Amino acid sequence: MKPVASTRVERSFSRSFAAYHDAARQQARSAQKLVDTLATTGAPARFQRVLELGCGTGHLTHALTEGFEIDVLSLNDISPKAEATATAFGASFLCGDAARIDWPETPDLIASASMIQWLPDPAPLLSRAVEALGPGGYLALSGFGPRQYEELTALGSTAAAPGLCTAERLAERVRGPLDIVATGEEIQPIRFVTPRDVLTHLRQTGVNGRAQKGWTKAKLRQFSEDYHARFGTAEGVSLTYHPVWIIARKPLAAS
């Protein structure tokens, strides 16, 4: 049986699937940054077997296939609608919770963007990735850090993902079995005209899957007033993104 939180997130991302690709500009930017970092830190130009976890509408998939030659590509996502992404890229599709499904054997690249933060504890998935990688294989992973949506957190929202953590904490989970090649993070405030535009953005990107609040006119009015009071400027209101990423490599087997 799927955990309730997992089912809720699945439904939310499935509902927002059509709107996600265009709305998730920061997620697309983070995916491209991850691939650019992988390409400039010694990764080979060609991978034999690639497993992407949480492929969604294909932001990372597109960047990977543009940046590297890939012989066999396997895509995973919790939403069945992401099978369309796999079909578009000629990949096999593995539907379900990334921590529970069967993975292809010994991939030489496991990659994921904007997914790891939805796991309450990323450690089991990271341990599984360490075990699954073939000798010399790469782990390329990005998510979001603790300052993600800090405006919403300050106003008492529960919409933020449960597993937000720093790049260094992600690196600590795999350091030792894997060599850390690169880590990084950025703080990226973006602007919206009104707090209602922020809520629309969250809905279009599936982030409201964990929110417990039912909106009434009175609650929406109060939320807008509070948001403006604390985070409003002449240019609108801010919403902070905090992308984090790591690149790690499994040592080659001893001869």
Side-chain angles (χ1 to χ4, degrees):
M1 180 180 295
K2 295 179 182 178
V4 173
S6 177
T7 301
R8 187 182 300 122
V9 170
E10 175 189 339
R11 289 175 179 170
S12 182
F13 279 108
S14 291
R15 284 196 302 267
S16 66
F17 199 82
Y20 181 89
H21 196 80
D22 291 335
R25 293 185 295 274
Q26 295 303 311
Q27 288 85 347
R29 184 178 183 275
S30 295
Q32 187 62 58
K33 177 69 175 180
L34 183 66
V35 171
D36 291 345
T37 304
L38 179 63
T40 57
T41 51
R46 182 173 189 168
F47 288 102
Q48 293 182 339
R49 293 175 298 279
V50 173
L51 170 62
E52 182 187 342
L53 303 175
C55 67
T57 60
H59 288 134
L60 179 58
T61 317
H62 174 76
L64 285 170
T65 54
E66 287 289 307
F68 299 95
E69 294 183 38
I70 299 173
D71 294 341
V72 179
L73 177 61
S74 300
L75 303 183
N76 152 259
D77 200 85
I78 198 170
S79 172
K81 292 188 177 183
E83 186 171 6
T85 303
T87 299
F89 286 93
S92 60
F93 183 59
L94 309 171
C95 187
D97 186 332
R100 297 169 179 265
I101 62 168
D102 291 333
W103 290 6
E105 292 187 6
T106 59
D108 49 352
L109 171 63
I110 297 175
S112 181
S114 303
M115 184 276 284
I116 192 73
Q117 72 275 0
W118 291 108
L119 303 179
D121 180 7
L125 186 74
L126 293 174
S127 295
R128 188 178 182 190
V130 168
E131 182 68 24
L133 278 172
Y138 280 81
L139 175 67
L141 181 72
S142 68
F144 294 103
R147 290 186 60 185
Q148 180 82 352
Y149 302 155
E150 61 186 2
E151 297 87 350
L152 297 174
T153 301
L155 294 175
S157 171
T158 60
L164 303 174
C165 62
T166 64
E168 183 54 34
R169 185 175 177 188
L170 289 175
E172 286 174 0
R173 298 291 190 180
V174 299
R175 183 179 281 115
L178 303 186
D179 298 325
I180 305 302
V181 177
T183 66
E185 62 182 297
E186 296 176 345
I187 302 297
Q188 299 170 350
I190 60 176
R191 292 284 172 181
F192 294 90
V193 176
T194 71
R196 290 195 183 199
D197 294 326
V198 173
L199 294 178
T200 298
H201 173 73
L202 297 178
R203 184 174 66 252
Q204 290 176 338
T205 55
V207 173
N208 59 338
R210 295 186 71 249
Q212 303 298 312
K213 182 185 292 186
W215 290 105
T216 64
K217 288 183 178 180
K219 287 181 178 180
L220 181 58
R221 181 170 58 252
Q222 188 64 55
F223 171 82
S224 296
E225 291 174 358
D226 292 345
Y227 209 122
H228 265 300
R230 297 192 61 174
F231 306 109
T233 68
E235 291 76 32
V237 295
S238 65
L239 181 68
T240 298
Y241 273 82
H242 183 188
V244 301
W245 61 90
I246 67 169
I247 306 291
R249 185 172 186 252
K250 195 169 192 176
L252 292 169
S255 57

